[in-house]
Amino acid sequence: MQYHEAKLLSSAADASGWPDSDLPEIMFAGRSNAGKSSLINLLTNRKKLAYTGKTPGKTRLLNFFEVDQRVVFCDSPGYGYAKGGTMSVLSFSDLIDPYIRERQQLKALVLVLDIRRVPNDDDLLMKNYAAETGLRLIPACMKADKLSRNQMIRSLGIIAKTLGIPKEDCIAVSAVTRLGCEEIEARLNEIIEGS
Ligand SMILES: Nc1nc2c(ncn2[C@@H]2O[C@H](COP(=O)(O)OP(=O)(O)OP(=O)(O)O)[C@@H](O)[C@H]2O)c(=O)[nH]1
Ligand SMILES: [Mg+2]
């Protein structure tokens, strides 16, 4: 399906800003600049729903988008961004951790990765966190358009191995060519319909 009816519900600095909604929620998390906001725009078919940019740290709060009155996407700040040395810690412990722990309707974590980079400790932490809290994991390997097909296949192998997950679970995605968009939609639909 094509997502299109999408609107910002709220931007939250803490639990008081989480939206008053019962819809299933999907969180998009990953390192700064990996392409979290771009992926939300891709899935919703909107160019500027979620704010994107070349400088890391574009997303500062948890931003909740209701899509087709059916699901809520939560965009989060990159956990690797450390302006002043504190952003990374702050965004995880103050914003992301309480949300993952306490939000009942949160069903899945889309782990947004840059396909050209080996996942780091923060990515592993997020992946393990998803497993511990019973969240489904969808690893989205963005910027696939920047690699040749062979490089892409090799990178997916490295990413899967580093995360300790099957290679078939990792999806190569491009916000430019829309590669992988349907596969992500299919996995999201399965989760939304099963919730
Ligand atoms: N070529 C290409 N560029 C991409 C892709 N996805 C994202 N980008 C670019 O990467 C940069 C960062 O994208 P964002 O979507 O803002 O990344 P983010 O993870 O939301 O970043 P923060 O909110 O700062 O943590 C932007 O310049 C995007 O245009 C992709 O699939 N292909
Ligand atoms: Mg962003």
Side-chain angles (χ1 to χ4, degrees):
M1 88 178 259
Q2 295 237 312
Y3 295 111
H4 33 72
E5 212 185 294
K7 61 174 183 197
L8 178 70
L9 285 183
S10 67
S11 290
D14 55 39
S16 67
W18 298 346
D20 183 16
S21 149
D22 296 327
L23 293 173
E25 284 176 14
I26 312 286
M27 181 183 218
F28 293 71
R31 278 149 85 181
S32 196
N33 214 42
K36 300 172 289 296
S37 302
S38 298
L39 180 55
I40 288 179
N41 290 339
L42 178 71
L43 292 168
T44 54
N45 253 326
R46 297 269 296 266
K47 283 199 171 65
K48 290 182 182 166
L49 183 68
Y51 196 52
T52 65
K54 287 201 188 343
T55 41
K58 282 293 168 198
T59 307
R60 298 302 184 97
L61 300 168
L62 294 186
N63 293 323
F64 294 90
F65 302 98
E66 185 185 289
V67 184
D68 291 340
Q69 298 173 356
R70 180 167 174 259
V71 61
V72 171
F73 288 168
C74 172
D75 192 10
S76 69
Y79 44 67
Y81 181 61
K83 191 174 185 183
T86 52
M87 179 65 184
S88 162
V89 177
L90 271 185
S91 66
F92 190 80
S93 64
D94 287 4
L95 284 175
I96 297 174
D97 177 79
Y99 174 69
I100 292 182
R101 275 189 195 285
E102 293 166 34
R103 192 67 167 169
Q104 296 296 324
Q105 59 268 59
L106 178 62
K107 303 294 173 203
L109 173 80
V110 178
L111 183 63
V112 182
L113 304 156
D114 183 327
I115 196 166
R116 300 165 300 173
R117 295 179 175 210
V118 179
N120 69 5
D121 287 348
D122 288 334
D123 294 316
L124 267 170
L125 181 83
M126 281 308 291
K127 177 242 153 188
N128 291 333
Y129 211 43
E132 280 165 26
T133 51
L135 290 180
R136 295 278 297 275
L137 181 79
I138 304 177
C141 308
M142 302 298 294
K143 312 193 187 184
D145 54 279
K146 293 191 181 269
L147 298 182
S148 70
R149 191 162 170 79
N150 280 343
Q151 287 172 322
M152 196 173 89
I153 291 164
R154 196 175 323 128
S155 292
L156 287 177
I158 294 168
I159 288 170
K161 198 173 171 198
T162 311
L163 292 176
I165 58 176
K167 199 171 166 180
E168 311 76 67
D169 285 7
C170 298
I171 309 168
V173 184
S174 168
V176 176
T177 68
R178 303 190 64 91
L179 175 79
C181 188
E182 282 183 13
E183 174 68 22
I184 302 230
E185 279 175 1
R187 293 209 205 168
L188 288 177
N189 280 336
E190 198 188 305
I191 291 163
I192 295 163
E193 274 150 29
S195 69

